[in-house]
Amino acid sequence: MNRDLRYWKESATVILAAGIRKHSLSKIATNTQTCQPPQGKNPPQSRLEKSIFDYALLMLQRNMRSKFLPNMYVFPGGQISPADFSSEWIQLFHPFCQPPNFKLNTVKQTARRSPIFAVDRRKLGSQISGEVAFRICAIRETFEESGVLLVKPNHPDKDLNSQGVIQLTQYNQNKLASWRSLVQENAVNFIRLCKELDCLPNIWALKEWSNWLTPTFQGGRRFDTAFFICCLEEIPFTVHDGCEISFHSWMTPTEVIEHHQSEKLFIPPPQWYEVGRLCRFPYLQDLEQFSQDRSVEGCERWFPVRLLASDGFATLYPGDELYPEDPDFTGETEINLTSSKSLKQLRLEVTRLHRTELRNLYDYTLYVNIEPRYKHVHPLMINSHPNSNL
């Protein structure tokens, strides 16, 4: 673990996308059209439209008493544990492949590599790289929160990118439920689980996607979070823990956005941004291929900065003309840019845009005209609320 971090705690999350051709979605996702296979090959190009998706995303509602993002819908994930960097993982992975990166695809990125991946963990006392440990963290937390166990058998496999998920129905349910409780009590027990079931966390199924820092203006806890994406052929058996997570739902990307618009649920800005990216991919096969190809490009750390205007505020992202040249990544200084001008005036005065304008919790409007870095994509939708004034 990175002991040099003072204001942020390292964490990992995974965007789980699963095929829905043979499944029904949860009660909150009531549009039955989304369960039908796609009929066309022409995804919308610039604005959120009605589209038939052949996959759904796992969204978890955090407990209303949670200290971080209470009652909000998020992807599964959580804070890193020293156990995720344990040297026991080297012993477990040894017959399968060698450290430091356990045959994960090498990222081409050299400059601006996110510190969460670039930090030499050996200097921090661990032989496990961040690229491995944060995947283990995301898999462990997903099991704790949703019961979905992303693992694969511990034997040589030529296709390291193959999917892997052990469902409760494949093992004695009571036994796995007991393991889940033990892992929740102590992350070290996840290593014991893998030894007993003779399996490995399927780190190869998780593709690097993005890296977000909690803004300083939010107050409370802050996290430096690695975002991964994982595509599954079908929706696995899912059961939320009823403690940290109060509800779960498998929804298509457009359903997540639509439910946010209608105020049926609330998703934080990073999740909103990432779901918007997925709206560009109606087909799971295309998303899986894109995430596989793009993952070797790496990603950059995004530290959102708030710009206060006369009629609301904007969240600035890297590349925006008003984004600070040298933001304080230590978190010691709260960054708040202020102006007496309106959001529209501030927007029309610049040429490079990469910002989200907010007038209330459910009214997000994205403005972006710069090229995405590292072969990524921007969110599809421009306006997330039907009453927004463009």
Side-chain angles (χ1 to χ4, degrees), residues 301-340:
R301 176 175 57 178
W302 280 10
F303 178 29
V305 173
R306 183 165 64 175
L307 170 61
L308 296 170
S310 62
D311 58 344
F313 72 90
T315 300
L316 307 179
Y317 305 117
D320 191 279
E321 196 163 321
L322 296 183
Y323 191 83
E325 290 186 8
D326 187 23
D328 181 12
F329 286 109
T330 67
E332 295 180 355
T333 304
E334 182 173 330
I335 302 176
N336 269 323
L337 307 178
T338 60
S339 175
S340 59

Side-chain angles (χ1 to χ4, degrees), residues 63 110 138 184 190 207 220 230 232 238 260 263 276 313 321 356 384:
N63 191 294
T110 54
Q184 289 170 331
F190 189 50
K207 310 304 178 185
C230 177
L232 303 175
T238 312
H260 177 84
E263 303 185 14
F313 72 90
E321 196 163 321
T356 304
S384 79

Side-chain angles (χ1 to χ4, degrees), residues 97-167:
C97 49
Q98 298 295 315
N101 289 333
F102 305 109
K103 294 188 179 178
L104 289 169
N105 290 331
T106 302
V107 173
K108 302 175 183 178
Q109 186 182 27
T110 54
R112 301 176 66 90
R113 184 80 170 120
S114 289
I116 201 168
F117 299 119
V119 169
D120 186 348
R121 300 289 166 167
R122 291 172 297 184
K123 296 181 180 179
L124 301 176
S126 173
Q127 295 301 311
I128 305 293
S129 70
E131 291 179 307
V132 173
F134 286 101
R135 283 173 167 84
I136 294 173
C137 172
I139 292 169
R140 173 181 57 77
E141 287 284 345
T142 297
F143 178 55
E144 292 182 29
E145 295 177 341
S146 70
V148 177
L149 187 54
L150 300 167
V151 297
K152 67 186 306 169
N154 186 6
H155 59 72
D157 189 338
K158 293 182 180 180
D159 184 10
L160 292 179
N161 293 313
S162 63
Q163 298 177 347
V165 54
I166 287 182
Q167 301 185 34

Side-chain angles (χ1 to χ4, degrees), residues 20-25 31-37 52-53:
I20 57 175
R21 293 174 185 270
K22 300 179 181 179
H23 293 267
S24 313
L25 300 185
N31 182 2
T32 57
Q33 292 297 314
T34 58
C35 297
Q36 299 179 7
I52 298 175
F53 285 72

